[in-house]
Amino acid sequence: MTAAVVRISAIARNTFVEAARNRAFVGLGVAAVGLVVSSMVLSGLALSDQQSRVLVDFGLFSIALLEVVIAIVLGVILVFKEIDRKTFYLVLPKPVHRHEVLAGKFAGLLGVLAVALVLMAAAWFASLASRDVEFKPDMAKALALVWMEAALVTSAAIFFSSFATPVMSGVFSLGVFLVGRNVAVLEELLAGTKGPLVHNPLARTIAETTVFVFPDLTRFGVGREVILGIPVGWDYVGAAALYCAGYCLFFGALASLVFRRREFL
Amino acid sequence: MDDAIVVEGLVKTFRTPLRRRKVEAVRSVSFRVGRGEIFGFLGPNGAGKTTTIKVLVGLVRPTAGRVTVLGGAPDDMGVKRRLGFLPEQPYFYDYLKPTELLDVFGALFGMSRAERRRVIPDLLDRVGLGAAKDRAIRKFSKGMQQRVGIAQALLNDPDLVILDEPMSGLDPIGRREVIDLIASLKARGKTVFFSSHILADVERLADRVVILDRGVMKASGTLPELLGQGTDEREVVLRAAPGSPDPASLPGVSRVEALSPGLVRAICPAGRSDPVLAAALAAGFAVVSVAERRMTLEELVVSHAAGAGPGGIGAGGTAGGAS
């Protein structure tokens, strides 16, 4: 292992321990299990031929939502806390580059998201098994894509928290998530021949910029395919992973630029 | 002599968050710290000590001036490997135990796992935390947390240790231990740069000091240079007998300081000590000692903070400039 990897791993491990020992994380875990269990209850209310569909759909939705909530909450809080509580005063004078500190924070949160995903997935699979819903390999791929989406949102949250207050960082990160989930809709509107985006040049420019800058998070949602039995290929998952990595690097580079200039008065 | 720290014309200005008012925290400060020295950095609150220290460790960039630490820039990785730093009122990852915290920092210093396992318990014993190494830091008292801070500052066996208020929060025993620790660092050839409000400790430890006030350097030099010239006053220590009058009423006494019950220090001009002694003996006081009055570091700092400066700074010391 190179020295940089050792340093990033040390920060990542510490970030993971901090999150794991945080009561808020335990609360999120309880909420996660509660939501997955509620999918079982909801499926019981559905028509008998729709029960498995509801179980799969709502379960995946719940896991994706909670992963993003964890990503935003921890992504925003953990960096801000270091600045607010001045623990960075102890870390930054050590032989570690500032971008390595951010990379370590990010890697630690990826670990947290992975553990949270495994726990929620276990509860989800248990709920599927209880209703005799067959496990499909594409479900695992769908979960991997959920994790990627959360990773991307985490990188955005860390970027925002490198210069903004937690509330503002949370709002911005949520904005990235909500816009990202609707980029495909904007693309459809831009491709259309009717509507305000055709006649209003300003609105069209804004929409085009939004589509260009914001990540298209619908790439990470394959719940429909899983439900309908449409195969999700590894090439698709691989492309999504590259897309996620590209945006993580983009937000990471921006965060590093801001953080490198930051002073700790 | 090869200097551990060189600060030349350091200026740091920043703007307040809301009103964007320009604040000059440090104004053209210059000093050098030689290798192997214990260097005291003094001044009242708001003098610019912590800002200067943050520049030295790379947390803040200078607005103007040149800063060299161990021959390199403060943010140089090679410099950081040889530097130990204790911030003022340090905050820790308090969910960790001290061993876990030092393990994280040890990894940042590039120490192997085996080295960390060897060094950390010894270091915790050295700062008096051997028995508490498996408790979460959040359960520690302020003094114990300060010891954790000192331990992490010494983890990499640094050539230069920068300590911002290392005695803060420590009881007298803890203070004594830190004093001994700093002295032992000097004995091992390390350079120690520290700020402290406890001037008695600075007097005991520091080879040289810099006094800062409102961002401006007021004086620098060795303690004998700054304090050793004495004053034109004498101090007469008297023990009162039953029925002794108020010593302040003795002719020639300019002021009186109580030392302990029944023991006072009467200050008088150098030329009036004989009449004071005669009057004191006649009034029933026992004379314990008579000595030339020397300025204390506390008086020196207070006089600079008051804006007047001392009556006379030692020959080798400098006022308001670099040494």
Side-chain angles (χ1 to χ4, degrees), chain B residues 11-15 21-28 46-48 51 63 213-216:
Chain B
V11 176
K12 181 62 197 175
T13 58
F14 58 88
R15 293 192 179 275
R21 197 168 57 86
K22 195 174 168 186
V23 176
E24 285 186 302
V26 180
R27 290 183 274 178
S28 196
T51 303
T63 306
D213 183 40
R214 283 164 281 187
V216 177

Side-chain angles (χ1 to χ4, degrees), chain A residues 6-7 10 14 18 21 82 85 87 89-98 260-261 263-265, chain B residues 12 14 54 58-61 77 80-81 85 87 91-96 100 105 107-109 152:
Chain A
V6 171
R7 294 192 292 267
N14 185 37
E18 178 174 14
R21 292 182 189 177
E82 296 260 16
R85 297 195 61 194
T87 38
Y89 286 14
L90 290 170
V91 175
L92 297 179
K94 304 276 187 292
V96 59
H97 293 291
R98 291 190 177 189
R260 191 187 301 169
R261 301 289 309 161
E263 295 196 290
F264 296 88
L265 286 166
Chain B
K12 181 62 197 175
F14 58 88
K54 283 179 180 175
L59 288 169
V60 167
R61 284 184 304 280
M77 289 287 271
K80 288 176 166 189
R81 274 188 206 99
F85 173 53
Y91 289 88
F92 301 98
Y93 301 110
D94 59 6
Y95 48 87
L96 295 179
E100 294 173 328
F105 290 160
L108 297 184
F109 279 116
Q152 64 80 37

Side-chain angles (χ1 to χ4, degrees), chain B residues 288-307:
Chain B
V288 177
S289 66
V290 183
E292 180 187 37
R293 177 160 173 73
R294 289 176 182 273
M295 180 175 271
T296 64
L297 189 55
E298 184 177 338
E299 286 169 333
L300 185 69
V301 171
V302 169
S303 67
H304 281 299

Side-chain angles (χ1 to χ4, degrees), chain A residues 20-243:
Chain A
R21 292 182 189 177
N22 191 321
R23 284 177 194 164
F25 182 65
V26 176
L28 281 169
V30 171
V33 173
L35 271 173
V36 174
V37 170
S38 68
S39 70
M40 293 174 66
V41 176
L42 271 177
S43 70
L45 302 174
L47 295 171
S48 59
D49 63 332
Q50 296 291 309
Q51 279 188 356
S52 64
R53 182 184 175 141
V54 169
L55 209 52
V56 171
D57 199 15
F58 190 75
L60 259 181
F61 167 77
S62 305
I63 292 171
L65 185 69
L66 276 157
E67 279 281 288
V68 167
V69 169
I70 293 169
I72 292 176
V73 170
L74 292 185
V76 162
I77 284 177
L78 288 187
V79 173
F80 173 78
K81 244 173 81 177
E82 296 260 16
I83 296 168
D84 188 52
R85 297 195 61 194
K86 299 176 181 173
T87 38
F88 273 156
Y89 286 14
L90 290 170
V91 175
L92 297 179
K94 304 276 187 292
V96 59
H97 293 291
R98 291 190 177 189
H99 65 266
E100 290 172 353
V101 173
L102 290 181
K105 287 263 150 208
F106 179 61
L109 287 180
L110 291 189
V112 173
L113 288 169
V115 169
L117 186 80
V118 167
L119 293 175
M120 289 189 285
W124 183 46
F125 289 144
S127 69
L128 293 177
S130 72
R131 301 276 178 182
D132 296 326
V133 179
E134 186 190 357
F135 171 78
K136 299 174 191 169
D138 280 354
M139 290 176 179
K141 292 175 189 168
L143 289 171
L145 289 164
V146 162
W147 182 78
M148 289 177 204
E149 180 186 41
L152 198 159
V153 174
T154 301
S155 68
I158 288 177
F159 162 57
F160 293 127
S161 68
S162 67
F163 64 89
T165 62
V167 173
M168 293 311 292
S169 304
V171 170
F172 294 152
S173 307
L174 188 63
V176 167
F177 172 68
L178 293 176
V179 174
R181 278 286 180 113
N182 291 286
V183 161
V185 177
L186 266 181
E187 279 179 320
E188 278 179 26
L189 288 172
L190 283 167
T193 54
K194 292 180 185 173
L197 296 185
V198 174
H199 305 296
N200 186 335
L202 178 65
R204 186 170 186 82
T205 305
I206 292 172
E208 283 174 343
T209 308
T210 303
V211 167
F212 181 73
V213 173
F214 279 80
D216 178 6
L217 297 181
T218 56
R219 289 168 184 253
F220 303 105
V222 291
R224 194 176 129 266
E225 284 79 356
V226 172
I227 290 162
L228 298 176
I230 301 168
V232 179
W234 281 112
D235 54 342
Y236 181 87
V237 177
L242 284 176
Y243 185 80

